Amino acid sequence: MNANNRLGFIHKFIPSESLEDNNSLTLLLLHGTGGNENDLVPIAKMLEIKNAAILSPRGKVLENGMPRFFRRLAEGVFDIEDLKFRTNELADFIHNASKVYTLNLNRIMAIGYSNGANIAASILLLRPEILSSAILFRPMIPLVPDTLPNLSSKHILISAGAHDPIIPRYQTEELFDLLKKVEARVSIQWQNSGHELTQRDVVAASEWVSSAFNT
Ligand code: MLT
């Protein structure tokens, strides 16, 4: 299906192959800086998750013409007020999309890369009711909320690059530690790569999906 601008975000929606399966996952795809709603569709398809629908919004913040999901002041330095605002705006979009497209709001899995992984982590921390699980490729800690949620029902995979020149290792480790502290079922894998996604990321994500969801 082509991208459309309903519900306040340009987005792509690909329905589940089985419209009767109310229990199927929805994969929420969140691209990196300069990307768009098409970028992660091939990766989502490679995971071969049975009957999954795909909801893929384009970030609304432009940085020199490049779409992102929230404003930053410099590389790795976030505008926290904007991040909070955009997190709620995106969470509301997902909530509304779940009604319009008849998606099970208890079964939304984020698959985010870089800036998209960071806003996915922010949704988990600020609006945890929106996501049940997440695959975070190359994330860093986006913020620490004043009130910590309990994420004991959330399944999360972090796939990080051991030689990532953009995301310092300690920033990913801080996110992992915070998610552990709030009791998320989180695991982390370090790939022998930089910021770019590799085949190993896809394999790691596939294996994690099979073990977390018995698919
Ligand atoms: C961000 O701004 O979210 C991170 O620095 C990753 C990036 O988009 O470069």
Side-chain angles (χ1 to χ4, degrees):
M1 196 176 276
N2 289 329
N4 70 71
N5 200 359
R6 287 165 81 192
L7 301 166
F9 275 80
I10 295 173
H11 67 279
K12 179 170 240 178
F13 176 69
I14 305 174
S16 161
E17 276 167 22
S18 162
L19 295 175
E20 280 85 62
D21 184 355
N22 297 330
N23 214 21
S24 59
L25 278 170
T26 297
L27 308 180
L28 171 73
L29 308 187
L30 301 167
H31 62 79
T33 301
N36 66 34
E37 63 281 2
N38 298 310
D39 291 5
L40 294 175
V41 173
I43 291 191
K45 295 219 159 142
M46 276 183 234
L47 298 181
E48 294 184 337
I49 302 175
K50 205 163 155 254
N51 294 338
I54 287 177
L55 179 64
S56 187
R58 185 188 302 177
K60 284 164 73 159
V61 170
L62 290 180
E63 183 184 272
N64 300 323
M66 295 186 298
R68 288 175 51 83
F69 286 97
F70 57 89
R71 244 169 62 82
R72 64 180 163 181
L73 307 173
E75 194 169 283
V77 184
F78 300 154
D79 176 336
I80 296 297
E81 281 317 303
D82 188 64
L83 173 56
K84 288 181 183 164
F85 174 78
R86 299 290 172 188
T87 299
N88 282 311
E89 181 185 50
L90 186 58
D92 292 343
F93 161 76
I94 298 158
H95 186 265
N96 294 336
S98 76
K99 297 210 167 104
V100 170
Y101 296 125
T102 331
L103 308 173
N104 183 341
L105 199 50
N106 297 319
R107 301 216 70 206
I108 311 266
M109 178 197 285
I111 301 179
Y113 168 63
S114 189
N115 181 247
N118 294 340
I119 197 149
S122 185
I123 295 176
L124 282 162
L125 293 165
L126 297 176
R127 294 286 300 271
E129 76 282 6
I130 294 292
L131 297 176
S132 62
S133 54
I135 298 174
L136 307 177
F137 293 117
R138 310 292 181 274
M140 57 193 283
I141 186 155
L143 47 68
V144 180
D146 298 333
T147 312
L148 291 180
N150 180 295
L151 298 188
S152 55
S153 63
K154 314 292 180 194
H155 295 261
I156 303 165
L157 171 68
I158 294 176
S159 187
H163 316 292
D164 192 328
I166 293 175
I167 312 288
R169 188 182 179 107
Y170 79 91
Q171 294 252 8
T172 304
E173 284 173 344
E174 275 182 23
L175 174 62
F176 177 72
D177 292 345
L178 178 61
L179 292 172
K180 272 260 173 238
K181 185 171 168 189
V182 297
E183 298 176 34
R185 300 181 206 185
V186 58
S187 53
I188 187 164
Q189 286 215 15
W190 289 94
Q191 312 303 347
N192 187 17
S193 74
H195 197 58
E196 75 288 356
L197 283 182
T198 67
Q199 190 57 30
R200 264 310 305 164
D201 287 285
V202 179
V203 172
S206 254
E207 288 172 358
W208 175 82
V209 167
S210 313
S211 66
F213 298 94
N214 297 319
T215 55

